[in-house]
Amino acid sequence: MNILLTGGAGYIGSHTYVALLEAGYTPVILDNFSNSHPAVLGRLQRVTDRQVLCETGDVRDTAFVQDVLRKHSIQAVIHLAGDKAVGESVANPLKYYFNNLGGAISLMQAMQAVDCKVLVFSSSATVYGDPASVPIAEHFPRSHTNPYGHTKLVIEDMLAAQSAARPDWKVAVLRYFNPVGAHACGLIGEDPAGIPNNLMPYISRVALGQLPFLEVFGGDYPTPDGTGVRDYIHVCDLAEGHVAAVRAMLGGSSGMQVNLGTGRGYSVLEVVRAFEQASGRTVRHRIAPRRPGDVAQCYANPGLARQQLGWQARRTLEQMCADAWRWQSGNPNGYRDDA
Ligand code: WQD
């Protein structure tokens, strides 16, 4: 069965591509490479020993998306394409509303035109805002604290409206917690442009000596060691969660909204120590002021995904750090060294 991966050349997309192939599906990438590198395609061919099917274009081009859906007889779509930097979304909200909402609307219109009815959507734990308690369950209230999170929340609502209007549509909303790590082969991984916003790529570059030290944003949170606690999930576990969702939706399951997390929170300092263990490197760090918009704790109750998808995360924090280090140390400049 052919599965379309919008944003499939990105961090989550490339790992989901591999997981889909391993599960016997035929993934087709749709990407405009505005936030990913074409070299990923060559890497994926090396990892999978298969010619990579990729259509270059913008998910907001509805006619283009329709053509791709028809050309490849797509049975289900995994929608990953979109912008995801919280800070950038605050500075440039119109870019986020246009790209993320416009892309989702265009995709849904194209799917409707060709009668493709199965959609797995990349949402985010950010839709829970600042949770009243942890672990977070799917019925918890949603809110947003930035335009990026707002786009995820609005797209969830658009998908719910579409499913209500067209009950034959099957929609799975996957709320990611904190994806980290890389495929064990070391050929694909997270490659943010410029200075990383997220913790794990930042730590990786400090360990490699590309950045001088890590600023730990806040040491006075109401957490065991005062630093922020998050639910880090191996990107390969997350990818396998997408395969489970595609399988469930194609198998006739009703739509769902599920957390993709491990259910275990780790503090910033715990991640630093785990990374030092895994890499054998020192990660110089210092406590700095809190980052505006950060919450103290955010980790999942993963029970619903286990119950509805038969999926749960398996990989440990040590594996996440070891795989992240293998990728970073083997590719100091990410994909930019490839021709
Ligand atoms: C993790 C922890 C920081 C960097 C965001 C988005 C979320 C998703 C993942 C897209 C926090 C601390 C970080 C640093 C630090 N993005 N930190 N120094 O903020 O939990 O989630 O990225 O889907 O939607 O909200 O992830 O990795 O930025 O931060 O101390 O240089 O690490 O304060 O406690 P976050 P993060």
Side-chain angles (χ1 to χ4, degrees):
M1 281 192 177
N2 295 354
I3 312 296
L4 185 66
L5 271 172
T6 73
Y11 174 43
I12 309 299
S14 53
H15 288 82
T16 303
Y17 177 92
V18 174
L20 283 166
L21 268 181
E22 286 172 351
Y25 294 102
T26 301
V28 178
I29 290 173
L30 184 157
D31 210 304
N32 65 1
F33 297 100
S34 62
N35 203 17
S36 54
H37 201 293
V40 173
L41 303 180
R43 295 294 185 96
L44 286 173
Q45 183 163 344
R46 286 172 59 190
V47 174
T48 63
D49 194 24
R50 294 270 297 262
Q51 186 67 32
V52 176
L53 293 172
C54 179
E55 300 284 355
T56 302
D58 195 313
V59 70
R60 292 168 298 176
D61 179 346
T62 311
F64 164 71
V65 178
Q66 277 186 39
D67 290 346
V68 170
L69 290 169
R70 286 195 181 99
K71 174 181 173 183
H72 296 279
S73 305
I74 296 297
Q75 301 286 309
V77 178
I78 299 177
H79 183 40
L80 305 165
D83 293 308
K84 65 162 207 111
V86 170
E88 184 192 32
S89 78
V90 174
N92 191 354
L94 292 182
K95 172 184 176 183
Y96 275 68
Y97 290 121
F98 184 46
N99 289 352
N100 293 2
L101 300 186
I105 292 166
S106 170
L107 171 64
M108 291 161 72
Q109 288 175 324
M111 290 176 68
Q112 190 165 280
V114 304
D115 208 27
C116 177
K117 308 171 189 173
V118 177
L119 178 55
V120 175
F121 173 58
S122 161
S123 191
S124 167
T126 202
V127 302
Y128 296 115
D130 188 356
S133 64
V134 283
I136 299 170
E138 287 81 354
H139 66 270
F140 276 27
R142 297 178 306 153
S143 66
H144 64 275
T145 57
N146 56 73
Y148 159 73
H150 191 199
T151 65
K152 292 298 187 182
L153 195 152
V154 170
I155 294 168
E156 287 194 5
D157 290 346
M158 291 196 299
L159 291 169
Q162 179 70 358
S163 303
R166 296 177 180 276
D168 54 346
W169 273 51
K170 300 290 184 186
V171 176
V173 171
L174 307 182
R175 292 173 180 159
Y176 303 174
F177 279 70
N178 289 64
V180 296
H183 192 279
C185 69
L187 289 172
I188 55 175
E190 190 171 12
D191 185 24
I195 304 294
N197 296 306
N198 296 133
L199 180 66
M200 190 65 86
Y202 202 104
I203 285 178
S204 300
R205 294 192 187 177
V206 172
L208 203 56
Q210 291 179 337
L211 292 170
F213 60 88
L214 169 76
E215 284 189 309
V216 178
F217 296 144
D220 59 351
Y221 282 107
T223 61
D225 64 16
T227 65
V229 171
R230 296 291 185 276
D231 187 331
Y232 299 96
I233 176 171
H234 197 293
V235 65
C236 291
D237 278 330
L238 192 81
E240 289 162 14
H242 288 72
V243 175
V246 164
R247 184 180 299 118
M249 293 300 106
L250 287 171
S253 295
S254 51
M256 59 183 71
Q257 297 168 338
V258 292
N259 292 332
L260 294 192
T262 66
R264 170 75 160 85
Y266 287 100
S267 74
V268 175
L269 293 181
E270 285 178 308
V271 175
V272 166
R273 276 193 293 276
F275 198 94
E276 290 182 326
Q277 283 289 322
S279 65
R281 296 290 181 92
T282 299
V283 176
R284 294 181 63 235
H285 58 280
R286 65 178 65 158
I287 302 295
R290 294 182 178 187
R291 180 172 64 178
D294 273 358
V295 300
Q297 298 199 79
C298 178
Y299 58 89
N301 175 337
L304 195 59
R306 188 163 54 244
Q307 176 194 336
Q308 295 202 352
L309 293 179
W311 167 92
Q312 64 182 28
R314 305 184 278 117
R315 294 163 176 94
T316 63
L317 179 65
E318 289 67 31
Q319 284 173 286
M320 296 178 213
C321 292
D323 292 342
W325 176 241
R326 184 181 305 107
W327 156 253
Q328 188 70 67
S329 58
N331 303 274
N333 300 308
Y335 296 109
R336 285 177 292 284
D337 288 341
D338 288 23

